[in-house]
Amino acid sequence: MKRFRKFIYNLHPYLLCCIWTPLLIAQIVLLFVLHQPVNEALQWVGYIVWWLSAFFGWAPIFILGRKGGVPKGKSYVHTTALVETGLYAIVRHPQMGTAGLLMCLGLMLLTQHWSSVALGIPAMVLIYLDLLKEDQRCIQKFGDAYRQYMQRVPQVNFVAGFVRLLVRRTAG
């Protein structure tokens, strides 16, 4: 397992993203081409999951822009401060991780076709592996503060993160 992690960490920073992004785009295309859901209940769950992914995808743009210590004129991705409040008190990777995984899942539920699943599952695995790289990058950037943050806040599990946040607030 250690060798595998080391292999993943040593990959080009954008390699995994360059693979999972086209898979996700192909899932979106399939939604419009093959949208003939068999189970209406699964379709509604898919819509809920997809809208939830939109929230997790867009909210960090505004949160990091305000609280991330972004230099004037730079994009929100150029944060200089570790943000641990708001959505970032619930999950460490709301945008790429939580939103990406939820979008893949939502598209599978909406399309309800084997080809969407065949694209979505590898995309989800690659997103997860990309998150491992991102945690390493954040440790290098923010040091022990990020390691402590990792102990408090889950990577993408927003339900567990919300429960942990409630427990911390009631205990503190």
Side-chain angles (χ1 to χ4, degrees), residues 1-11 133:
M1 187 64 165
K2 258 188 172 180
R3 277 188 180 160
F4 180 71
R5 281 185 183 229
K6 188 175 181 177
F7 171 75
I8 294 299
Y9 298 152
N10 289 328
L11 290 175
K133 285 183 65 71

Side-chain angles (χ1 to χ4, degrees), residues 22-172:
L23 294 173
L24 184 59
I25 291 169
Q27 270 192 292
I28 294 169
V29 170
L30 285 177
L31 174 65
F32 294 105
V33 174
L34 301 173
H35 189 89
Q36 299 173 0
V38 177
N39 185 318
E40 193 174 326
L42 282 180
Q43 182 183 17
W44 280 105
V45 172
Y47 280 121
I48 292 167
V49 170
W50 204 21
W51 280 106
L52 203 53
S53 77
F55 169 74
F56 281 103
W58 284 95
I61 295 170
F62 304 104
I63 295 168
L64 292 176
R66 278 196 332 257
K67 298 181 179 183
V70 177
K72 189 172 179 115
K74 292 280 190 176
S75 167
Y76 74 99
V77 297
H78 294 99
T79 60
T80 59
L82 177 60
V83 179
E84 301 180 55
T85 59
L87 190 56
Y88 286 89
I90 298 170
V91 290
R92 294 194 311 265
H93 303 290
Q95 194 170 47
M96 178 178 68
T98 307
L101 294 170
L102 287 173
M103 183 174 274
C104 288
L105 178 62
L107 289 166
M108 286 187 271
L109 293 170
L110 286 169
T111 305
Q112 297 179 23
H113 194 271
W114 68 267
S115 57
S116 182
V117 175
L119 294 167
I121 290 175
M124 293 172 86
V125 169
L126 292 169
I127 290 169
Y128 176 75
L129 294 174
D130 216 0
L131 292 177
L132 296 177
K133 285 183 65 71
E134 184 62 16
D135 274 338
Q136 279 304 116
R137 192 189 68 73
C138 288
I139 288 170
Q140 290 173 351
K141 185 174 183 176
F142 299 113
D144 285 335
Y146 193 80
R147 281 190 180 90
Q148 293 169 1
Y149 175 61
M150 288 173 68
Q151 298 299 315
R152 290 189 311 274
V153 179
Q155 198 173 40
V156 294
N157 187 340
F158 60 92
V159 175
F162 188 71
V163 169
R164 285 185 191 179
L165 179 64
L166 289 177
V167 169
R168 281 194 308 268
R169 287 198 174 161
T170 56

